[in-house]
Amino acid sequence: MTINMTEFETACRDFMLTTEFADTAHDLSHILRVVKTAKQLCAAEGADLEVVLPAAWLHDCVAVAKNHPDRPIASKLAADRAVAFLSTLDYPKDKLPAVHHAIVAHSFSANVTPDTLEAKVVQDADRMDALGAIGVSRCMKVGGAIARHMYHIDDPFCRNREADDKKYTLDHFYIKLLNIAEQMHTQSAKQEAQRRTEFMHGFLHELGREIGICD
């Protein structure tokens, strides 16, 4: 079967517009950025676009809030729904297991190791969107959505306490965001991830200066 990628992407976009998003940090703009990055990584790494593209478009097609008890199974629910949707388009059946795995494995919460190049590309593309200026913005949006405090007023940078991102948004940098670059799988993603991480260190330094506690 020959896939018309333009028509396919239009169908995916229309489908995602019918989806309730978990929060405004995981809206259509997030999907579009992940798709763009996934295409770039796919080309650079020689991955199968017919697996990467649907997984990138549909990876968040089931909405589960970050602080919801079902969060660990959100990517499995999304993968199941994505495969059901792709089946309505008569998408090649031999691609569906790989698409399903790529969606399941993209999530931090699921804690599933990607075992294909395509799954690694999708995971890297999604995690790239948690870094840099957009990563800082998204982190703050999620913190506001779940009513977290921005930072611990006595120890914003977790110098003398264990980080707790259930209470403080800034702690999420130390628990997760600043470590993402080291976890990238593809060589193509590693350099950009490091550049974006350096920006985030700069943000923390400036924040410390502004609140009177240099990071």
Side-chain angles (χ1 to χ4, degrees):
M1 174 185 176
T2 300
I3 302 170
N4 183 316
M5 285 300 184
T6 300
E7 292 181 1
F8 170 71
E9 289 196 78
T10 298
C12 285
R13 183 185 180 111
D14 290 345
F15 178 70
M16 291 306 297
L17 286 172
T18 70
T19 296
E20 179 184 355
F21 294 105
D23 52 63
T24 55
H26 294 83
D27 59 5
L28 185 61
S29 68
H30 164 67
I31 300 296
L32 293 173
R33 290 189 301 271
V34 172
V35 168
K36 178 182 178 182
T37 301
K39 287 179 179 179
Q40 294 169 342
L41 297 180
C42 188
E45 299 293 330
D48 185 350
L49 186 65
E50 292 181 358
V51 171
V52 169
L53 196 58
W57 269 107
L58 303 172
H59 73 277
D60 277 344
C61 69
V62 170
V64 180
K66 287 290 187 182
N67 59 347
H68 193 281
D70 285 344
R71 186 64 190 176
I73 64 170
S75 65
K76 168 65 165 55
L77 297 174
D80 291 346
R81 187 179 184 215
V83 166
F85 167 68
L86 292 172
S87 297
T88 69
L89 302 179
D90 292 326
Y91 208 77
K93 287 185 172 58
D94 61 320
K95 304 289 184 182
L96 297 181
V99 173
H100 190 278
H101 171 65
I103 294 176
V104 171
H106 92 273
S107 170
F108 276 100
S109 303
N111 196 28
V112 173
T113 300
D115 59 16
T116 65
L117 174 59
E118 289 70 30
K120 292 174 182 178
V121 164
V122 174
Q123 188 184 94
D124 283 359
D126 181 63
R127 295 187 180 185
M128 191 74 75
D129 209 49
L131 300 177
I134 196 67
V136 171
S137 301
R138 292 180 68 225
C139 184
M140 296 304 172
K141 287 170 77 69
V142 171
I146 62 177
R148 279 189 308 212
H149 294 288
M150 185 175 178
Y151 56 83
H152 188 293
I153 59 173
D154 295 321
D155 189 359
F157 303 115
C158 306
R159 290 172 176 163
N160 299 300
R161 64 181 178 85
E162 186 175 351
D164 181 0
D165 62 358
K166 290 182 174 60
K167 292 182 179 179
Y168 307 107
T169 293
L170 209 61
D171 289 25
H172 194 58
F173 284 70
Y174 297 97
I175 290 175
K176 176 181 173 181
L177 303 184
L178 298 178
N179 302 314
I180 290 177
E182 299 173 1
Q183 300 164 3
M184 289 292 182
H185 298 283
T186 62
Q187 191 61 42
S188 305
K190 290 178 180 178
Q191 185 174 2
E192 175 63 12
Q194 187 57 48
R195 189 191 69 79
R196 295 190 186 196
T197 301
E198 290 171 3
F199 171 89
M200 297 174 85
H201 280 293
F203 166 79
L204 292 173
H205 178 79
E206 174 60 18
L207 179 63
R209 189 190 69 79
E210 292 181 10
I211 65 178
I213 304 175
C214 292
D215 183 26

